[in-house]
Amino acid sequence: MAKSKSDELTTLLSESREAIEEAKNYLSKNGKKYELHDWITIAEYCKRFNIPNTQTVSNWIKRGIISEENTIVIEEYNNIRLIKAIPYHDHS
């Protein structure tokens, strides 16, 4: 039995809602998906891991303590830098 237009519309709307909810949870850049709960701003990183100032984390990035693969720059959002939300330690 063929689906009615109403059933087709309901299915389409449901699929659209699911796609929107999924899109809220990640950022896509250059074809790669970044889960938003895993990637945070430097300021948020400082709050989450009790780092006294953002300059400390910026220095870790410059010195390679936070590897390049654990940072992304989002040019479309005023070049904001996100870092992977895992503990890093300065061993110097």
Side-chain angles (χ1 to χ4, degrees):
M1 185 170 163
K3 280 187 169 183
S4 71
K5 293 285 183 191
S6 177
D7 288 342
E8 289 177 12
L9 181 58
T10 299
T11 300
L12 181 61
L13 287 172
S14 176
E15 290 170 354
S16 296
R17 281 188 198 102
E18 288 173 17
I20 289 168
E21 284 305 309
E22 183 180 328
K24 288 180 184 177
N25 295 323
Y26 73 88
L27 170 69
S28 180
K29 180 171 170 58
N30 298 329
K32 185 174 178 185
K33 287 184 182 179
Y34 296 92
E35 297 284 336
L36 291 178
H37 58 84
D38 291 339
W39 294 85
I40 57 178
T41 64
I42 292 174
E44 177 59 29
Y45 186 88
C46 289
K47 287 181 200 171
R48 195 176 289 188
F49 293 99
N50 298 315
I51 307 295
N53 62 62
T54 59
Q55 191 59 44
T56 299
V57 177
S58 295
N59 286 337
W60 288 355
I61 293 167
K62 288 177 190 165
R63 293 175 36 217
I65 293 166
I66 298 176
S67 67
E68 199 172 297
E69 66 211 21
N70 286 345
T71 67
I72 55 173
V73 175
I74 310 300
E75 293 86 1
E76 297 84 357
Y77 293 107
N78 201 26
N79 290 315
I80 193 165
R81 183 183 301 268
L82 301 178
I83 60 176
K84 191 152 183 136
I86 58 175
Y88 302 98
H89 300 286
D90 183 359
H91 297 291
S92 59

